[in-house]
Amino acid sequence: MHKQQQPQGGKLTIAMVVDSVGNQGNGTSNSALQWAHELERQGHHVRLVGIGAPVYAARVRHVPLVSWVAAKQQMQFAQPDDDLFRRAFNGVDVVHVYMPFAFGRRAAAVARQMGIPVTAGYHVQPENVLYSAGPLRYVPGLPHLIYRLFHYWLYRDIRHIHVPTDMTARLLRRNGYRAKLHVISNGYSPRFTPSPSSRRSGDGKPFRIIASGRLTHEKDHITLIKAIERSRHAQDIELVIAGTGPLRHYLDIQARRRLKRPASIGFHRNADMPDLLCSGDLLVHCSIADIESISVIEGMACGLVPVIAVSDLSAAGHFALLPQSRFPVRDAAALAKRIDWWIEHPEERAEWSERYARHTAQCYSVRSSVQAFVAMEREAIADR
Protein backbone atom coordinates (compact mmCIF):
# COMPACT_ATOMS: atom_id res chain seq x y z
CA MET A 1 0.00 0.00 0.00
CA HIS A 2 1.07 3.58 -0.64
CA LYS A 3 2.03 5.42 2.54
CA GLN A 4 0.08 8.41 3.81
CA GLN A 5 0.58 11.75 2.14
CA GLN A 6 3.45 13.67 3.70
CA PRO A 7 2.74 17.01 5.37
CA GLN A 8 3.25 20.08 3.21
CA GLY A 9 6.94 20.98 3.26
CA GLY A 10 8.16 17.50 4.25
CA LYS A 11 10.91 15.74 2.36
CA LEU A 12 9.69 13.69 -0.60
CA THR A 13 10.63 10.27 -1.92
CA ILE A 14 10.40 10.41 -5.71
CA ALA A 15 10.80 7.61 -8.22
CA MET A 16 12.19 8.92 -11.52
CA VAL A 17 11.56 6.59 -14.46
CA VAL A 18 14.03 7.09 -17.34
CA ASP A 19 14.65 4.49 -20.05
CA SER A 20 18.42 5.20 -20.21
CA VAL A 21 19.57 6.35 -16.78
CA GLY A 22 23.23 5.47 -17.11
CA ASN A 23 23.91 6.89 -20.58
CA GLN A 24 25.53 10.24 -19.96
CA GLY A 25 25.84 10.92 -23.69
CA ASN A 26 22.07 11.41 -23.83
CA GLY A 27 20.64 14.81 -22.87
CA THR A 28 17.60 13.42 -21.07
CA SER A 29 19.78 11.04 -19.04
CA ASN A 30 22.10 13.90 -18.11
CA SER A 31 19.18 16.04 -17.00
CA ALA A 32 17.63 13.24 -14.93
CA LEU A 33 20.90 12.49 -13.16
CA GLN A 34 21.50 16.18 -12.55
CA TRP A 35 18.04 16.62 -11.03
CA ALA A 36 18.43 13.46 -8.93
CA HIS A 37 21.69 14.76 -7.45
CA GLU A 38 20.18 18.17 -6.72
CA LEU A 39 17.03 16.65 -5.20
CA GLU A 40 19.23 14.61 -2.86
CA ARG A 41 21.29 17.70 -2.05
CA GLN A 42 18.07 19.51 -1.09
CA GLY A 43 17.18 16.67 1.28
CA HIS A 44 14.75 14.60 -0.79
CA HIS A 45 15.10 10.92 -1.66
CA VAL A 46 15.31 9.73 -5.27
CA ARG A 47 14.96 6.26 -6.76
CA LEU A 48 16.19 6.16 -10.35
CA VAL A 49 14.54 3.43 -12.40
CA GLY A 50 15.92 2.43 -15.82
CA ILE A 51 18.87 0.99 -17.73
CA GLY A 52 22.04 1.65 -15.76
CA ALA A 53 20.27 2.74 -12.56
CA PRO A 54 22.39 1.99 -9.46
CA VAL A 55 19.67 0.02 -7.61
CA TYR A 56 16.56 -0.33 -9.76
CA ALA A 57 18.19 -1.34 -13.05
CA ALA A 58 16.10 -2.36 -16.05
CA ARG A 59 16.98 -4.64 -18.94
CA VAL A 60 17.39 -3.38 -22.48
CA ARG A 61 14.40 -3.76 -24.80
CA HIS A 62 15.28 -4.37 -28.44
CA VAL A 63 12.85 -2.85 -30.93
CA PRO A 64 13.63 -3.91 -34.52
CA LEU A 65 15.17 -1.05 -36.55
CA VAL A 66 14.02 1.60 -34.05
CA SER A 67 16.61 0.53 -31.44
CA TRP A 68 19.35 0.68 -34.09
CA VAL A 69 18.42 4.27 -35.03
CA ALA A 70 18.05 5.29 -31.37
CA ALA A 71 21.44 3.81 -30.42
CA LYS A 72 23.14 6.14 -32.90
CA GLN A 73 21.75 9.01 -30.80
CA GLN A 74 22.85 7.51 -27.46
CA MET A 75 19.35 6.28 -26.64
CA GLN A 76 18.16 2.85 -25.47
CA PHE A 77 14.69 1.56 -24.64
CA ALA A 78 14.09 -0.23 -21.33
CA GLN A 79 12.10 -3.45 -20.91
CA PRO A 80 8.93 -2.99 -18.78
CA ASP A 81 9.09 -5.06 -15.59
CA ASP A 82 6.22 -5.01 -13.10
CA ASP A 83 8.30 -6.60 -10.33
CA LEU A 84 10.98 -3.95 -10.77
CA PHE A 85 8.37 -1.19 -10.66
CA ARG A 86 6.70 -2.53 -7.52
CA ARG A 87 10.03 -2.77 -5.70
CA ALA A 88 11.07 0.71 -6.82
CA PHE A 89 7.72 2.37 -6.06
CA ASN A 90 7.04 0.78 -2.66
CA GLY A 91 6.84 3.65 -0.16
CA VAL A 92 7.41 6.54 -2.60
CA ASP A 93 5.31 9.70 -2.58
CA VAL A 94 5.17 10.23 -6.34
CA VAL A 95 6.39 8.68 -9.61
CA HIS A 96 7.77 10.92 -12.37
CA VAL A 97 7.98 9.46 -15.91
CA TYR A 98 10.35 10.91 -18.51
CA MET A 99 9.42 9.14 -21.75
CA PRO A 100 6.09 8.08 -23.35
CA PHE A 101 7.43 4.72 -24.53
CA ALA A 102 6.58 1.21 -23.26
CA PHE A 103 8.73 1.41 -20.11
CA GLY A 104 7.30 4.72 -18.94
CA ARG A 105 3.73 3.80 -19.86
CA ARG A 106 3.83 0.56 -17.89
CA ALA A 107 5.52 2.31 -14.94
CA ALA A 108 2.66 4.81 -14.81
CA ALA A 109 0.08 2.00 -14.90
CA VAL A 110 1.76 0.09 -12.06
CA ALA A 111 2.07 3.27 -9.97
CA ARG A 112 -1.66 3.90 -10.35
CA GLN A 113 -2.43 0.33 -9.33
CA MET A 114 -0.43 1.03 -6.16
CA GLY A 115 -2.35 4.27 -5.53
CA ILE A 116 0.66 6.52 -6.17
CA PRO A 117 0.29 9.85 -8.01
CA VAL A 118 2.09 10.11 -11.34
CA THR A 119 3.60 13.13 -13.11
CA ALA A 120 5.47 13.22 -16.41
CA GLY A 121 7.97 15.28 -18.34
CA TYR A 122 7.79 16.14 -22.03
CA HIS A 123 11.31 15.58 -23.36
CA VAL A 124 10.72 13.95 -26.77
CA GLN A 125 9.71 16.44 -29.45
CA PRO A 126 7.87 14.73 -32.34
CA GLU A 127 9.70 16.92 -34.85
CA ASN A 128 13.00 15.52 -33.54
CA VAL A 129 11.68 11.99 -33.97
CA LEU A 130 10.66 12.73 -37.56
CA TYR A 131 14.05 14.18 -38.52
CA SER A 132 15.47 10.71 -37.80
CA ALA A 133 12.79 9.08 -39.96
CA GLY A 134 14.06 10.07 -43.41
CA PRO A 135 11.37 10.91 -46.00
CA LEU A 136 8.58 10.34 -43.46
CA ARG A 137 9.22 13.82 -42.06
CA TYR A 138 7.69 15.33 -45.21
CA VAL A 139 4.31 13.59 -44.74
CA PRO A 140 1.71 16.34 -44.02
CA GLY A 141 0.10 16.13 -40.59
CA LEU A 142 2.52 13.53 -39.24
CA PRO A 143 3.90 15.70 -36.39
CA HIS A 144 0.34 16.28 -35.12
CA LEU A 145 -0.30 12.52 -35.33
CA ILE A 146 2.75 11.79 -33.17
CA TYR A 147 1.73 14.45 -30.62
CA ARG A 148 -1.66 12.73 -30.41
CA LEU A 149 -0.03 9.28 -30.24
CA PHE A 150 2.16 10.34 -27.30
CA HIS A 151 -0.95 11.82 -25.68
CA TYR A 152 -2.83 8.54 -26.10
CA TRP A 153 0.09 6.47 -24.87
CA LEU A 154 0.83 8.42 -21.69
CA TYR A 155 -0.09 12.06 -21.26
CA ARG A 156 -3.91 11.84 -21.45
CA ASP A 157 -3.88 10.31 -17.94
CA ILE A 158 -1.35 12.76 -16.46
CA ARG A 159 -2.66 15.84 -14.67
CA HIS A 160 0.71 17.58 -14.19
CA ILE A 161 3.28 17.71 -17.01
CA HIS A 162 6.73 19.30 -16.82
CA VAL A 163 7.72 21.15 -20.01
CA PRO A 164 11.12 22.86 -20.32
CA THR A 165 10.00 25.95 -22.27
CA ASP A 166 7.04 28.14 -23.19
CA MET A 167 7.46 26.96 -26.78
CA THR A 168 6.86 23.35 -25.72
CA ALA A 169 3.78 24.41 -23.79
CA ARG A 170 2.41 26.23 -26.87
CA LEU A 171 3.01 23.18 -29.09
CA LEU A 172 1.23 20.89 -26.63
CA ARG A 173 -1.77 23.21 -26.32
CA ARG A 174 -1.93 23.50 -30.10
CA ASN A 175 -2.06 19.71 -30.31
CA GLY A 176 -4.85 19.23 -27.79
CA TYR A 177 -3.09 18.66 -24.45
CA ARG A 178 -5.32 19.77 -21.56
CA ALA A 179 -3.22 18.91 -18.48
CA LYS A 180 -1.64 21.55 -16.26
CA LEU A 181 1.71 22.40 -17.87
CA HIS A 182 4.55 23.44 -15.56
CA VAL A 183 7.22 25.40 -17.49
CA ILE A 184 10.52 24.63 -15.75
CA SER A 185 13.94 24.83 -17.39
CA ASN A 186 16.02 21.67 -17.10
CA GLY A 187 18.72 23.97 -15.74
CA TYR A 188 22.47 23.51 -15.74
CA SER A 189 24.94 22.04 -13.30
CA PRO A 190 27.13 24.42 -11.25
CA ARG A 191 30.09 22.60 -12.82
CA PHE A 192 29.54 24.89 -15.80
CA THR A 193 31.05 28.23 -14.87
CA PRO A 194 33.52 30.69 -16.42
CA SER A 195 37.14 29.70 -15.84
CA PRO A 196 39.80 32.32 -15.10
CA SER A 197 42.16 30.29 -17.30
CA SER A 198 39.71 30.24 -20.22
CA ARG A 199 41.41 30.05 -23.60
CA ARG A 200 40.67 32.96 -25.91
CA SER A 201 41.80 33.70 -29.45
CA GLY A 202 44.71 36.02 -30.06
CA ASP A 203 48.49 35.70 -29.88
CA GLY A 204 48.44 33.50 -32.94
CA LYS A 205 45.76 31.13 -31.62
CA PRO A 206 42.88 30.28 -33.94
CA PHE A 207 39.38 31.51 -33.17
CA ARG A 208 37.58 28.46 -31.75
CA ILE A 209 33.88 27.96 -32.51
CA ILE A 210 32.12 25.26 -30.52
CA ALA A 211 28.85 23.52 -31.32
CA SER A 212 27.27 20.77 -29.24
CA GLY A 213 24.47 18.38 -30.11
CA ARG A 214 23.61 15.11 -31.80
CA LEU A 215 25.03 14.66 -35.28
CA THR A 216 21.62 14.48 -36.93
CA HIS A 217 19.73 16.40 -39.61
CA GLU A 218 17.64 18.51 -37.22
CA LYS A 219 20.75 19.87 -35.47
CA ASP A 220 21.85 21.25 -38.88
CA HIS A 221 25.60 21.33 -38.21
CA ILE A 222 26.16 21.48 -41.97
CA THR A 223 24.94 25.11 -41.96
CA LEU A 224 27.73 25.99 -39.52
CA ILE A 225 30.34 24.32 -41.72
CA LYS A 226 29.04 26.24 -44.76
CA ALA A 227 29.02 29.50 -42.77
CA ILE A 228 32.65 29.11 -41.70
CA GLU A 229 33.56 28.40 -45.31
CA ARG A 230 31.95 31.76 -46.25
CA SER A 231 33.56 33.71 -43.40
CA ARG A 232 36.12 36.44 -44.14
CA HIS A 233 38.20 34.84 -41.38
CA ALA A 234 37.86 31.21 -42.49
CA GLN A 235 41.62 30.62 -42.33
CA ASP A 236 41.66 31.63 -38.65
CA ILE A 237 38.67 29.55 -37.43
CA GLU A 238 38.95 26.21 -35.64
CA LEU A 239 35.68 24.22 -35.39
CA VAL A 240 34.76 21.77 -32.63
CA ILE A 241 31.45 19.88 -32.77
CA ALA A 242 30.79 17.82 -29.63
CA GLY A 243 28.32 15.04 -30.33
CA THR A 244 27.65 11.66 -31.81
CA GLY A 245 25.13 10.42 -34.33
CA PRO A 246 24.51 9.00 -37.80
CA LEU A 247 25.87 12.01 -39.72
CA ARG A 248 29.39 11.96 -38.29
CA HIS A 249 31.02 10.54 -41.43
CA TYR A 250 29.14 12.99 -43.67
CA LEU A 251 30.08 15.99 -41.50
CA ASP A 252 33.73 14.87 -41.39
CA ILE A 253 33.82 14.74 -45.18
CA GLN A 254 32.17 18.16 -45.53
CA ALA A 255 34.49 19.76 -42.98
CA ARG A 256 37.59 18.39 -44.70
CA ARG A 257 36.33 19.61 -48.08
CA ARG A 258 35.14 23.08 -47.04
CA LEU A 259 37.26 24.29 -44.10
CA LYS A 260 40.77 25.72 -44.04
CA ARG A 261 41.64 24.18 -40.68
CA PRO A 262 41.02 20.60 -39.44
CA ALA A 263 37.76 20.28 -37.48
CA SER A 264 37.18 18.11 -34.43
CA ILE A 265 33.84 16.29 -34.69
CA GLY A 266 32.88 13.58 -32.22
CA PHE A 267 31.80 12.51 -28.76
CA HIS A 268 32.95 14.28 -25.59
CA ARG A 269 32.14 12.99 -22.12
CA ASN A 270 29.78 15.22 -20.18
CA ALA A 271 32.42 15.49 -17.44
CA ASP A 272 34.80 17.06 -19.97
CA MET A 273 32.33 19.59 -21.38
CA PRO A 274 32.99 22.47 -18.94
CA ASP A 275 36.68 22.56 -19.89
CA LEU A 276 35.85 22.28 -23.58
CA LEU A 277 33.32 25.11 -23.44
CA CYS A 278 35.69 27.34 -21.49
CA SER A 279 38.28 26.80 -24.25
CA GLY A 280 36.07 28.37 -26.91
CA ASP A 281 35.51 31.87 -28.30
CA LEU A 282 31.98 31.51 -29.68
CA LEU A 283 29.11 29.02 -29.36
CA VAL A 284 27.00 28.38 -32.47
CA HIS A 285 23.69 26.52 -32.34
CA CYS A 286 22.02 25.84 -35.70
CA SER A 287 19.30 23.44 -34.54
CA ILE A 288 15.99 23.39 -36.42
CA ALA A 289 14.01 21.59 -33.67
CA ASP A 290 14.76 21.80 -29.94
CA ILE A 291 12.61 21.47 -26.83
CA GLU A 292 15.13 23.54 -24.85
CA SER A 293 18.82 22.88 -25.65
CA ILE A 294 20.76 22.50 -22.45
CA SER A 295 24.01 22.69 -24.45
CA VAL A 296 23.34 26.39 -25.13
CA ILE A 297 22.64 27.07 -21.45
CA GLU A 298 25.84 25.26 -20.44
CA GLY A 299 27.87 27.24 -22.97
CA MET A 300 26.46 30.57 -21.79
CA ALA A 301 27.11 29.58 -18.17
CA CYS A 302 30.79 29.12 -19.12
CA GLY A 303 30.86 32.61 -20.62
CA LEU A 304 30.54 31.66 -24.27
CA VAL A 305 28.62 34.18 -26.37
CA PRO A 306 26.04 32.22 -28.42
CA VAL A 307 24.85 32.65 -31.99
CA ILE A 308 21.54 30.78 -32.28
CA ALA A 309 19.27 29.83 -35.16
CA VAL A 310 15.75 31.28 -34.96
CA SER A 311 13.28 28.51 -35.79
CA ASP A 312 9.58 28.03 -35.08
CA LEU A 313 10.38 24.54 -33.77
CA SER A 314 13.31 25.48 -31.53
CA ALA A 315 13.10 27.11 -28.12
CA ALA A 316 16.81 27.96 -28.12
CA GLY A 317 16.35 31.29 -29.88
CA HIS A 318 14.90 32.92 -26.77
CA PHE A 319 18.31 32.64 -25.07
CA ALA A 320 19.68 35.35 -27.38
CA LEU A 321 20.05 38.70 -25.60
CA LEU A 322 20.90 40.84 -28.65
CA PRO A 323 20.40 40.67 -32.45
CA GLN A 324 24.01 39.64 -33.08
CA SER A 325 23.27 36.42 -31.19
CA ARG A 326 20.59 35.19 -33.58
CA PHE A 327 20.28 34.35 -37.28
CA PRO A 328 17.55 32.87 -39.54
CA VAL A 329 17.56 29.07 -39.41
CA ARG A 330 19.42 27.32 -42.27
CA ASP A 331 20.86 30.66 -43.51
CA ALA A 332 24.62 30.05 -43.82
CA ALA A 333 25.28 33.51 -45.28
CA ALA A 334 23.59 35.27 -42.37
CA LEU A 335 25.45 33.08 -39.88
CA ALA A 336 28.77 33.89 -41.56
CA LYS A 337 28.06 37.62 -41.04
CA ARG A 338 27.33 37.03 -37.34
CA ILE A 339 30.53 35.04 -36.91
CA ASP A 340 32.56 37.77 -38.62
CA TRP A 341 30.96 40.46 -36.44
CA TRP A 342 31.94 38.70 -33.22
CA ILE A 343 35.48 38.02 -34.48
CA GLU A 344 35.89 41.68 -35.42
CA HIS A 345 34.48 43.03 -32.14
CA PRO A 346 36.54 41.36 -29.37
CA GLU A 347 35.71 44.02 -26.78
CA GLU A 348 31.95 43.52 -27.26
CA ARG A 349 32.50 39.77 -27.13
CA ALA A 350 34.28 40.06 -23.78
CA GLU A 351 31.52 42.31 -22.40
CA TRP A 352 28.71 40.01 -23.55
CA SER A 353 30.57 36.95 -22.32
CA GLU A 354 30.22 38.30 -18.78
CA ARG A 355 26.59 39.33 -19.35
CA TYR A 356 25.57 35.91 -20.66
CA ALA A 357 27.29 34.15 -17.74
CA ARG A 358 25.51 36.39 -15.19
CA HIS A 359 22.13 36.06 -16.92
CA THR A 360 22.40 32.27 -17.06
CA ALA A 361 23.36 32.00 -13.39
CA GLN A 362 20.34 34.13 -12.43
CA CYS A 363 17.75 32.36 -14.62
CA TYR A 364 18.71 28.74 -15.29
CA SER A 365 20.35 27.20 -12.22
CA VAL A 366 19.45 23.56 -11.54
CA ARG A 367 18.80 24.55 -7.91
CA SER A 368 15.85 26.81 -8.78
CA SER A 369 14.59 24.35 -11.42
CA VAL A 370 14.47 21.50 -8.90
CA GLN A 371 12.68 23.71 -6.36
CA ALA A 372 9.99 24.39 -8.96
CA PHE A 373 9.81 20.68 -9.80
CA VAL A 374 9.30 19.79 -6.13
CA ALA A 375 6.46 22.32 -5.97
CA MET A 376 4.86 20.57 -8.97
CA GLU A 377 5.22 17.17 -7.29
CA ARG A 378 3.61 18.47 -4.08
CA GLU A 379 0.70 19.81 -6.13
CA ALA A 380 0.25 16.42 -7.81
CA ILE A 381 0.30 14.68 -4.42
CA ALA A 382 -2.31 17.10 -3.08
CA ASP A 383 -4.49 16.38 -6.15
CA ARG A 384 -4.67 12.64 -5.43
Side-chain angles (χ1 to χ4, degrees):
M1 288 292 293
H2 177 242
K3 66 184 181 181
Q4 293 296 311
Q5 178 180 324
Q6 291 215 3
Q8 186 73 17
K11 299 305 180 185
L12 300 180
T13 300
I14 304 170
M16 300 175 75
V17 179
V18 195
D19 282 66
S20 301
V21 173
N23 187 350
Q24 295 190 44
N26 175 278
T28 303
S29 299
N30 285 333
S31 179
L33 288 168
Q34 186 170 281
W35 279 31
H37 293 151
E38 180 61 22
L39 282 161
E40 295 275 358
R41 194 195 67 79
Q42 293 185 19
H44 304 284
H45 305 287
V46 177
R47 299 180 189 177
L48 289 165
V49 188
I51 300 165
V55 179
Y56 302 103
R59 292 175 290 120
V60 176
R61 177 174 183 246
H62 293 286
V63 183
L65 185 60
V66 176
S67 288
W68 178 79
V69 174
K72 288 182 174 291
Q73 301 183 44
Q74 302 289 301
M75 173 66 193
Q76 290 178 301
F77 298 105
Q79 181 66 43
D81 184 335
D82 285 13
D83 290 337
L84 170 68
F85 294 143
R86 290 191 185 97
R87 283 191 290 110
F89 299 165
N90 184 39
V92 305
D93 296 295
V94 62
V95 171
H96 183 70
V97 176
Y98 271 76
M99 300 283 198
F101 306 124
F103 189 67
R105 297 200 305 270
R106 187 59 196 163
V110 172
R112 289 193 190 93
Q113 291 172 7
M114 298 173 70
I116 303 169
V118 181
T119 62
Y122 207 95
H123 299 279
V124 182
Q125 191 173 354
E127 289 83 2
N128 275 325
V129 174
L130 288 174
Y131 266 95
S132 300
L136 283 177
R137 71 177 183 266
Y138 300 112
V139 176
L142 200 51
H144 174 71
L145 180 62
I146 296 177
Y147 276 105
R148 297 309 302 167
L149 183 63
F150 286 175
H151 184 264
Y152 176 76
W153 278 352
L154 176 67
Y155 297 104
R156 62 176 175 161
D157 296 320
I158 303 292
R159 296 178 67 180
H160 295 271
I161 300 174
H162 161 225
V163 295
T165 59
D166 289 322
M167 183 205 74
T168 314
R170 287 195 300 273
L171 287 171
L172 294 191
R173 290 289 184 232
R174 194 181 303 161
N175 285 280
Y177 286 61
R178 297 289 175 258
K180 181 168 183 180
L181 305 179
H182 299 255
V183 180
I184 306 168
S185 169
N186 285 308
Y188 74 96
S189 166
R191 294 184 299 110
F192 293 88
T193 187
S195 169
S197 60
S198 292
R199 170 197 180 282
R200 292 290 179 255
S201 62
D203 299 326
K205 295 177 181 175
F207 186 91
R208 178 176 283 184
I209 294 177
I210 295 179
S212 179
R214 294 189 310 278
L215 308 181
T216 54
H217 287 290
E218 79 273 15
K219 298 305 178 186
D220 199 31
H221 296 297
I222 187 60
T223 291
L224 173 54
I225 292 172
K226 291 176 179 178
I228 294 173
E229 181 185 28
R230 289 170 174 253
S231 168
R232 291 192 295 271
H233 304 277
Q235 70 278 2
D236 299 320
I237 296 174
E238 176 184 64
L239 173 63
V240 178
I241 302 178
T244 186
L247 295 187
R248 178 174 180 176
H249 183 60
Y250 166 75
L251 293 171
D252 272 331
I253 291 173
Q254 292 297 316
R256 283 197 300 269
R257 186 164 72 86
R258 295 174 181 272
L259 302 185
K260 307 286 188 185
R261 289 178 174 270
S264 171
I265 302 174
F267 177 73
H268 289 255
R269 294 185 314 142
N270 185 261
D272 298 331
M273 286 303 294
D275 286 342
L276 175 65
L277 292 168
C278 285
S279 77
D281 295 294
L282 197 67
L283 177 76
V284 177
H285 190 73
C286 296
S287 189
I288 298 164
D290 257 323
I291 274 187
E292 181 173 34
S293 185
I294 291 300
S295 63
V296 175
I297 295 177
E298 291 171 344
M300 295 189 307
C302 289
L304 268 183
V305 172
V307 179
I308 307 166
V310 176
S311 166
D312 290 341
L313 297 175
S314 174
H318 80 271
F319 295 134
L321 299 180
L322 74 166
Q324 286 82 2
S325 277
R326 57 178 76 94
F327 71 98
V329 68
R330 293 194 184 98
D331 190 335
L335 175 55
K337 291 178 182 177
R338 291 291 186 242
I339 290 170
D340 288 343
W341 192 90
W342 285 111
I343 290 175
E344 293 163 8
H345 292 80
E347 292 182 2
E348 286 87 346
R349 196 171 71 250
E351 175 191 346
W352 280 98
S353 168
E354 294 179 4
R355 287 198 192 185
Y356 272 109
R358 283 199 307 270
H359 171 76
T360 306
Q362 290 166 359
C363 299
Y364 300 108
S365 75
V366 71
R367 179 174 176 269
S368 58
S369 293
V370 164
Q371 288 172 341
F373 172 71
V374 168
M376 179 185 87
E377 299 300 82
R378 292 196 193 284
E379 193 173 337
I381 293 168
D383 279 353
R384 271 182 68 236

